Amino acid sequence: MKGHLTERELIEYQFKLASEGLAERMAGHLQECGKCRESLERLKQKFAALDLLREDFEVSEDLISQVLEQVSEPVKSKVVSFRRPAWIGAAAAVLLVGSLLLVAQLRKSSGPARESVRGPIARQDVAQPAPAYKPLPMERKPFGKAAKDEGRGAVEGLAGVRKRGLAEEQIPEQPPFAPASAIELVVLPRRENVQITIYNSADLTLVRERRNLTLKKGWNWLQFMWANTLIDPTSLHLEPLEQRDKIDIQQLVFPARLRELGRWLIRSEVGGQVPFEITYFTSGLSWRAFYMGTLSADEQKMKLQGYVRVANNSGEDYENAQTRLIVGQVHILDEIAKLARRQYPYGSPLPRAAGIGGRDYAWGLREEDREKVPLLGDELLVGGLFRDAKRFHRKEIRKEGLSEYFLYTIEGTETIPDKWGKRLLSFEEDEIEVKSLYKYDEERYGQQTIRFVSFANDEEHNLGKTPIPNGDVKIYGLADREGHLSYVGGTGIKYIPVDEEVELNLGPARLVEVEPTLMGFKTANYVFDRNKDIAGWDEIRTWKIEITNTRTLAVEIEITRSFGTAYWSLKANIPYEKHDVTHARFKLTVEPRSKRTFDYTVTTYRGVREEALTE
Amino acid sequence: MENTDKSLIDAHCRGEREAFGQVVRRYGGSLLGYLTKMSGSRELAEDLFQETFKRVHEKAHTFRGGRLGPWLFKIATRVALNGLQRRRRLRVVSLDQQLDCAEGRNKESGAAAVADNSCEPSEEVIRAEQKEQVRQAIELLPEKQRAALVLAYYQQLSYREVAEVLGCSIGTVKTQMYRALRTLAQKLPDVSGETK
């Protein structure tokens, strides 16, 4: 090889990136060339730093069980591909056509079809084979074309809603008896969209989901299951979003012996697909906010990013959910999780009739609490929840209530599977002007300097659009010119309303030190009483305060000194302010990498000498 | 006798829950290490870890035998690259990474120094700083380069296996690897503790 190995060649040699022939030639050269061997050694030393990250990672049992939890569904069956002879295709086509003809023949000869739709919450097909099926009263008297239409069921739904007047067909006025089995049920289809509103303070989440239900004209039963979830069955509410004048939600029943399911009775004057909104409360969803601030190099500006972490332990997956978060206290009467786990949504069905139509929501509550039931705003918020409860006093907290807490909406939609947590960016603001201040106050912080960063949640600071919820803040500074960050400090913040100022305590600052030294102490001006006993005196202390700033930036520092008495006077070689009756405060700036010293002499008055100060 | 990877995956396909647990335990550590280095954040890595095994579960029937490790890394890489693309905005300013680092630094400078009397606390601090520099240097690499480096260097996969995982040729892997090393050579701290 000619000349010495280049850095590229050395890297290629060391990491076996070169071809075999080239590697052999390089090895030969290295045997002969001491300089290249030295270069290689240096390179090895350089890359030895990579081994600092060579560490064993242990997977916690929690994480393993979370993984196993999410894979509890059966594995998809294996698909084996094979070459199909041409005759298989032909045979399949013949079979398909034959089957279609057979189905068409059967449809003509049989009565109305039943719904068999998979419901995501039910997670099972609830429609059962029905050998002993008896048509409901309305179905015993089919009216010509209407009977045919009813028989089409979901097929008709795909074609859209058909509007037909009552004059054309009659719907029996008497609702059918609540089915004890799952025959003749409409089961919830997949969600079209879902919105979740998490009230963190009360372990309460309002879920509003939209589903397209296929109804037949007449009476429909709709089944909703909440097994293994934390849904509060007493809060279930169903509302058609179209054809409201032709669809009436009559009642919600909780059949005895069938646990964790409810059935709505719906009277519909139209047949076909209708969008519905289902609202309910659940628990198990929570969120927390946290923030990251990055200070600019001169520490005059800060970039602030707010995050929320949403955790879902509700037992239900929420796909593509619009997520809204409520900050503030919500008053609730019952824990949703307890309601969800009750055997009967409204207590045992035996002594009294169950269902929202049969009793009001405040059943079982103390008398004084009945008036406190919050509706969490208006129909907009809860989709008209509890509208049927006429005795209910609708609290006038809609507007006022909203001023008590604040609603955050996460942009776009998010999928939050059960047992998962998800971190979302809630806001990001650049160029927030901040003020750095160091404080030294032995009474509050001991003998250490504490660093503070302050800013305001207002427009002047590029904020002020919304209040900032409670959360932890971590502040980082730029460690070098390449943009690497270094951790400066962290603290928790409480709810910051708009236009309020916030001061973040970032903890002890090691690079700015304050060292007070007592330079002199004497007593003077003794006063004696009649008995020649001491009745008063002055104590005079001289202090030297030395501030050391080893940072590369000038710092502003506030030093608070306590005198332990309200009777004191002070002489200092720098300005000070009387902070309160027993404290004085000095504010000064210390240049980068420098020391600054000041002195003060404080005289405290004891006994009758206290009067000398007032005089 | 220890079950082979293939027998475990087959058992899982038959619905034996314990088999999947064994796979997670067998490969979990190295996968979590890989995802942590790829994402720069332990918390994010745990999210990706769960997502990876979810996909492994869904795709279990497509495993044709051979070494399970590269197959798992292939899935993990797709999950990580997708996940990181979505969180690209977070990458530079990853809070958790900084948190991890900050916590790690504290732990090392405090607890480790006390536990290991042979090391001066100052050395521990320097070591933690160096570790942090290495972590940041790797995090700043483009994703493909980072994946090649982590798989080949830390996970000890051959270049052929890395190529299989990343779905590219061996030549491409070597190019990515060289570029990653060239960048790192400028950014890695010296053993003396100084950075260029």
Side-chain angles (χ1 to χ4, degrees), chain A residues 215-247:
Chain A
L215 299 177
K216 65 181 181 188
K217 185 178 174 184
W219 295 100
N220 294 264
W221 283 104
L222 171 69
Q223 176 160 293
F224 186 91
M225 295 179 76
W226 58 87
N228 301 321
T229 70
L230 295 175
I231 290 170
D232 167 17
T234 64
S235 68
L236 284 168
H237 180 79
L238 182 72
E239 186 83 25
L241 296 176
E242 290 172 13
Q243 310 285 339
R244 288 167 193 260
D245 54 333
K246 295 189 174 61
I247 295 169

Short mmCIF file of all heavy atoms in Angstrom, two decimals, chain A residues 215-247:
data_model
loop_
_atom_site.label_atom_id
_atom_site.label_comp_id
_atom_site.label_asym_id
_atom_site.label_seq_id
_atom_site.Cartn_x
_atom_site.Cartn_y
_atom_site.Cartn_z
N LEU A 215 -81.78 0.17 11.61
CA LEU A 215 -83.07 -0.05 12.26
C LEU A 215 -84.07 -0.58 11.24
O LEU A 215 -83.95 -0.31 10.05
CB LEU A 215 -83.59 1.27 12.83
CG LEU A 215 -82.74 1.97 13.89
CD1 LEU A 215 -83.40 3.28 14.28
CD2 LEU A 215 -82.56 1.09 15.12
N LYS A 216 -85.01 -1.29 11.76
CA LYS A 216 -86.15 -1.64 10.90
C LYS A 216 -87.33 -0.78 11.35
O LYS A 216 -87.33 -0.29 12.50
CB LYS A 216 -86.47 -3.12 11.03
CG LYS A 216 -86.93 -3.46 12.41
CD LYS A 216 -87.23 -4.92 12.55
CE LYS A 216 -87.72 -5.17 13.97
NZ LYS A 216 -87.86 -6.55 14.29
N LYS A 217 -88.27 -0.63 10.52
CA LYS A 217 -89.43 0.15 10.91
C LYS A 217 -90.20 -0.63 11.97
O LYS A 217 -90.44 -1.83 11.81
CB LYS A 217 -90.31 0.42 9.70
CG LYS A 217 -91.46 1.33 10.05
CD LYS A 217 -92.30 1.63 8.87
CE LYS A 217 -93.51 2.43 9.36
NZ LYS A 217 -94.44 2.70 8.28
N GLY A 218 -90.55 0.03 13.04
CA GLY A 218 -91.27 -0.64 14.12
C GLY A 218 -90.44 -0.59 15.39
O GLY A 218 -89.73 0.37 15.65
N TRP A 219 -90.56 -1.66 16.17
CA TRP A 219 -89.85 -1.71 17.45
C TRP A 219 -88.50 -2.41 17.26
O TRP A 219 -88.44 -3.45 16.62
CB TRP A 219 -90.67 -2.47 18.49
CG TRP A 219 -91.95 -1.75 18.84
CD1 TRP A 219 -93.19 -2.02 18.36
CD2 TRP A 219 -92.09 -0.65 19.72
NE1 TRP A 219 -94.12 -1.16 18.88
CE2 TRP A 219 -93.45 -0.29 19.74
CE3 TRP A 219 -91.20 0.09 20.51
CZ2 TRP A 219 -93.95 0.74 20.50
CZ3 TRP A 219 -91.71 1.13 21.27
CH2 TRP A 219 -93.06 1.45 21.26
N ASN A 220 -87.47 -1.83 17.83
CA ASN A 220 -86.13 -2.42 17.74
C ASN A 220 -85.55 -2.55 19.14
O ASN A 220 -85.72 -1.66 19.97
CB ASN A 220 -85.19 -1.50 16.95
CG ASN A 220 -85.59 -1.37 15.51
OD1 ASN A 220 -85.09 -2.05 14.64
ND2 ASN A 220 -86.55 -0.47 15.23
N TRP A 221 -84.86 -3.63 19.34
CA TRP A 221 -84.10 -3.77 20.59
C TRP A 221 -82.61 -3.60 20.26
O TRP A 221 -82.12 -4.21 19.33
CB TRP A 221 -84.30 -5.15 21.21
CG TRP A 221 -85.61 -5.30 21.90
CD1 TRP A 221 -86.70 -5.97 21.45
CD2 TRP A 221 -85.97 -4.77 23.18
NE1 TRP A 221 -87.72 -5.89 22.35
CE2 TRP A 221 -87.30 -5.15 23.43
CE3 TRP A 221 -85.31 -3.99 24.12
CZ2 TRP A 221 -87.97 -4.79 24.59
CZ3 TRP A 221 -85.98 -3.64 25.28
CH2 TRP A 221 -87.30 -4.04 25.51
N LEU A 222 -81.95 -2.78 21.05
CA LEU A 222 -80.52 -2.56 20.83
C LEU A 222 -79.77 -2.97 22.10
O LEU A 222 -80.11 -2.53 23.20
CB LEU A 222 -80.24 -1.08 20.54
CG LEU A 222 -78.77 -0.69 20.51
CD1 LEU A 222 -78.09 -1.29 19.29
CD2 LEU A 222 -78.61 0.83 20.48
N GLN A 223 -78.79 -3.80 21.94
CA GLN A 223 -78.07 -4.31 23.12
C GLN A 223 -76.71 -3.65 23.26
O GLN A 223 -75.99 -3.48 22.29
CB GLN A 223 -77.88 -5.81 22.99
CG GLN A 223 -77.06 -6.39 24.12
CD GLN A 223 -77.27 -7.88 24.25
OE1 GLN A 223 -78.36 -8.31 24.60
NE2 GLN A 223 -76.26 -8.64 23.96
N PHE A 224 -76.39 -3.31 24.49
CA PHE A 224 -75.10 -2.68 24.79
C PHE A 224 -74.47 -3.45 25.95
O PHE A 224 -75.10 -3.65 26.98
CB PHE A 224 -75.35 -1.23 25.21
CG PHE A 224 -74.10 -0.43 25.42
CD1 PHE A 224 -73.54 0.29 24.37
CD2 PHE A 224 -73.49 -0.36 26.67
CE1 PHE A 224 -72.39 1.04 24.57
CE2 PHE A 224 -72.35 0.39 26.86
CZ PHE A 224 -71.81 1.09 25.81
N MET A 225 -73.23 -3.90 25.77
CA MET A 225 -72.57 -4.67 26.82
C MET A 225 -71.34 -3.92 27.32
O MET A 225 -70.67 -3.25 26.56
CB MET A 225 -72.12 -6.03 26.27
CG MET A 225 -73.27 -6.91 25.88
SD MET A 225 -72.68 -8.46 25.23
CE MET A 225 -72.19 -9.29 26.72
N TRP A 226 -71.08 -4.04 28.59
CA TRP A 226 -69.91 -3.35 29.14
C TRP A 226 -69.06 -4.28 30.01
O TRP A 226 -68.37 -3.84 30.91
CB TRP A 226 -70.34 -2.12 29.95
CG TRP A 226 -71.27 -2.42 31.08
CD1 TRP A 226 -70.94 -2.76 32.34
CD2 TRP A 226 -72.70 -2.39 31.03
NE1 TRP A 226 -72.06 -2.97 33.09
CE2 TRP A 226 -73.16 -2.74 32.32
CE3 TRP A 226 -73.63 -2.11 30.05
CZ2 TRP A 226 -74.51 -2.82 32.62
CZ3 TRP A 226 -74.97 -2.19 30.35
CH2 TRP A 226 -75.40 -2.54 31.62
N ALA A 227 -69.10 -5.56 29.71
CA ALA A 227 -68.33 -6.52 30.51
C ALA A 227 -66.85 -6.16 30.49
O ALA A 227 -66.32 -5.75 29.45
CB ALA A 227 -68.54 -7.92 29.94
N ASN A 228 -66.21 -6.32 31.63
CA ASN A 228 -64.76 -6.07 31.78
C ASN A 228 -64.36 -4.63 31.53
O ASN A 228 -63.21 -4.35 31.24
CB ASN A 228 -63.95 -6.99 30.86
CG ASN A 228 -64.22 -8.43 31.14
OD1 ASN A 228 -64.35 -8.81 32.31
ND2 ASN A 228 -64.35 -9.22 30.11
N THR A 229 -65.31 -3.74 31.56
CA THR A 229 -64.95 -2.32 31.43
C THR A 229 -65.38 -1.62 32.70
O THR A 229 -65.99 -2.22 33.58
CB THR A 229 -65.65 -1.66 30.23
OG1 THR A 229 -67.04 -1.56 30.53
CG2 THR A 229 -65.47 -2.45 28.95
N LEU A 230 -65.08 -0.33 32.78
CA LEU A 230 -65.46 0.45 33.96
C LEU A 230 -66.54 1.47 33.59
O LEU A 230 -66.60 2.56 34.13
CB LEU A 230 -64.23 1.15 34.54
CG LEU A 230 -63.16 0.19 35.09
CD1 LEU A 230 -61.93 0.95 35.53
CD2 LEU A 230 -63.71 -0.62 36.27
N ILE A 231 -67.36 1.10 32.65
CA ILE A 231 -68.44 1.99 32.21
C ILE A 231 -69.53 2.03 33.27
O ILE A 231 -69.91 1.00 33.84
CB ILE A 231 -68.99 1.50 30.86
CG1 ILE A 231 -67.95 1.75 29.77
CG2 ILE A 231 -70.31 2.18 30.52
CD1 ILE A 231 -68.28 1.10 28.45
N ASP A 232 -70.03 3.23 33.54
CA ASP A 232 -71.13 3.38 34.48
C ASP A 232 -72.44 3.15 33.73
O ASP A 232 -72.85 3.99 32.93
CB ASP A 232 -71.07 4.80 35.07
CG ASP A 232 -72.35 5.14 35.81
OD1 ASP A 232 -73.10 4.20 36.13
OD2 ASP A 232 -72.56 6.33 36.09
N PRO A 233 -73.11 2.03 33.98
CA PRO A 233 -74.32 1.74 33.21
C PRO A 233 -75.45 2.72 33.48
O PRO A 233 -76.32 2.89 32.65
CB PRO A 233 -74.68 0.32 33.66
CG PRO A 233 -74.00 0.13 34.95
CD PRO A 233 -72.79 0.99 34.96
N THR A 234 -75.42 3.37 34.64
CA THR A 234 -76.51 4.30 34.94
C THR A 234 -76.41 5.56 34.09
O THR A 234 -77.33 6.37 34.06
CB THR A 234 -76.50 4.70 36.42
OG1 THR A 234 -75.29 5.42 36.68
CG2 THR A 234 -76.58 3.49 37.33
N SER A 235 -75.29 5.74 33.45
CA SER A 235 -75.12 6.98 32.69
C SER A 235 -75.36 6.79 31.19
O SER A 235 -75.22 7.74 30.43
CB SER A 235 -73.68 7.50 32.89
OG SER A 235 -72.77 6.62 32.29
N LEU A 236 -75.72 5.59 30.78
CA LEU A 236 -75.88 5.32 29.35
C LEU A 236 -76.98 6.18 28.74
O LEU A 236 -78.06 6.30 29.30
CB LEU A 236 -76.23 3.84 29.14
CG LEU A 236 -75.07 2.87 29.28
CD1 LEU A 236 -75.59 1.45 29.36
CD2 LEU A 236 -74.13 3.02 28.10
N HIS A 237 -76.68 6.73 27.60
CA HIS A 237 -77.68 7.55 26.93
C HIS A 237 -77.53 7.37 25.43
O HIS A 237 -76.42 7.33 24.91
CB HIS A 237 -77.49 9.02 27.30
CG HIS A 237 -78.49 9.89 26.64
ND1 HIS A 237 -79.78 10.02 27.09
CD2 HIS A 237 -78.40 10.66 25.54
CE1 HIS A 237 -80.44 10.83 26.28
NE2 HIS A 237 -79.63 11.23 25.34
N LEU A 238 -78.67 7.28 24.76
CA LEU A 238 -78.67 7.05 23.31
C LEU A 238 -79.48 8.15 22.66
O LEU A 238 -80.54 8.52 23.15
CB LEU A 238 -79.30 5.69 23.03
CG LEU A 238 -79.35 5.24 21.58
CD1 LEU A 238 -77.96 4.88 21.09
CD2 LEU A 238 -80.27 4.02 21.45
N GLU A 239 -78.99 8.65 21.55
CA GLU A 239 -79.66 9.78 20.90
C GLU A 239 -79.48 9.65 19.40
O GLU A 239 -78.34 9.54 18.93
CB GLU A 239 -79.00 11.08 21.39
CG GLU A 239 -79.65 12.34 20.93
CD GLU A 239 -80.83 12.75 21.79
OE1 GLU A 239 -80.85 12.35 22.96
OE2 GLU A 239 -81.73 13.41 21.27
N PRO A 240 -80.59 9.67 18.60
CA PRO A 240 -80.41 9.65 17.15
C PRO A 240 -79.91 11.01 16.68
O PRO A 240 -80.32 12.04 17.22
CB PRO A 240 -81.81 9.36 16.61
CG PRO A 240 -82.73 9.82 17.68
CD PRO A 240 -82.01 9.69 18.98
N LEU A 241 -79.03 11.01 15.71
CA LEU A 241 -78.51 12.28 15.21
C LEU A 241 -79.29 12.75 13.98
O LEU A 241 -79.18 13.89 13.57
CB LEU A 241 -77.03 12.13 14.86
CG LEU A 241 -76.13 11.82 16.05
CD1 LEU A 241 -74.69 11.59 15.60
CD2 LEU A 241 -76.16 12.94 17.08
N GLU A 242 -80.03 11.84 13.39
CA GLU A 242 -80.90 12.22 12.26
C GLU A 242 -82.27 11.61 12.52
O GLU A 242 -82.41 10.71 13.34
CB GLU A 242 -80.32 11.69 10.94
CG GLU A 242 -79.05 12.40 10.51
CD GLU A 242 -78.40 11.73 9.30
OE1 GLU A 242 -79.05 10.89 8.66
OE2 GLU A 242 -77.23 12.05 9.03
N GLN A 243 -83.23 12.06 11.78
CA GLN A 243 -84.59 11.50 11.88
C GLN A 243 -85.11 11.54 13.31
O GLN A 243 -85.81 10.62 13.75
CB GLN A 243 -84.60 10.03 11.38
CG GLN A 243 -83.97 9.80 10.05
CD GLN A 243 -84.84 10.27 8.90
OE1 GLN A 243 -86.05 10.41 9.04
NE2 GLN A 243 -84.22 10.53 7.77
N ARG A 244 -84.75 12.59 14.02
CA ARG A 244 -85.12 12.63 15.44
C ARG A 244 -86.63 12.56 15.65
O ARG A 244 -87.10 12.02 16.65
CB ARG A 244 -84.61 13.94 16.07
CG ARG A 244 -83.12 13.98 16.26
CD ARG A 244 -82.69 15.39 16.57
NE ARG A 244 -81.25 15.55 16.46
CZ ARG A 244 -80.42 15.55 17.50
NH1 ARG A 244 -80.88 15.40 18.70
NH2 ARG A 244 -79.13 15.69 17.30
N ASP A 245 -87.37 13.16 14.71
CA ASP A 245 -88.83 13.18 14.89
C ASP A 245 -89.45 11.82 14.58
O ASP A 245 -90.61 11.59 14.88
CB ASP A 245 -89.44 14.26 14.00
CG ASP A 245 -89.02 14.08 12.55
OD1 ASP A 245 -87.93 13.53 12.33
OD2 ASP A 245 -89.78 14.46 11.64
N LYS A 246 -88.69 10.93 13.99
CA LYS A 246 -89.27 9.64 13.62
C LYS A 246 -88.73 8.50 14.47
O LYS A 246 -89.13 7.35 14.30
CB LYS A 246 -88.98 9.36 12.13
CG LYS A 246 -89.67 10.35 11.21
CD LYS A 246 -89.53 9.91 9.78
CE LYS A 246 -90.34 10.80 8.85
NZ LYS A 246 -89.93 12.22 8.88
N ILE A 247 -87.78 8.83 15.33
CA ILE A 247 -87.18 7.77 16.17
C ILE A 247 -87.36 8.16 17.63
O ILE A 247 -87.05 9.28 18.02
CB ILE A 247 -85.69 7.60 15.83
CG1 ILE A 247 -85.55 7.08 14.40
CG2 ILE A 247 -85.03 6.62 16.79
CD1 ILE A 247 -84.14 7.11 13.87
#
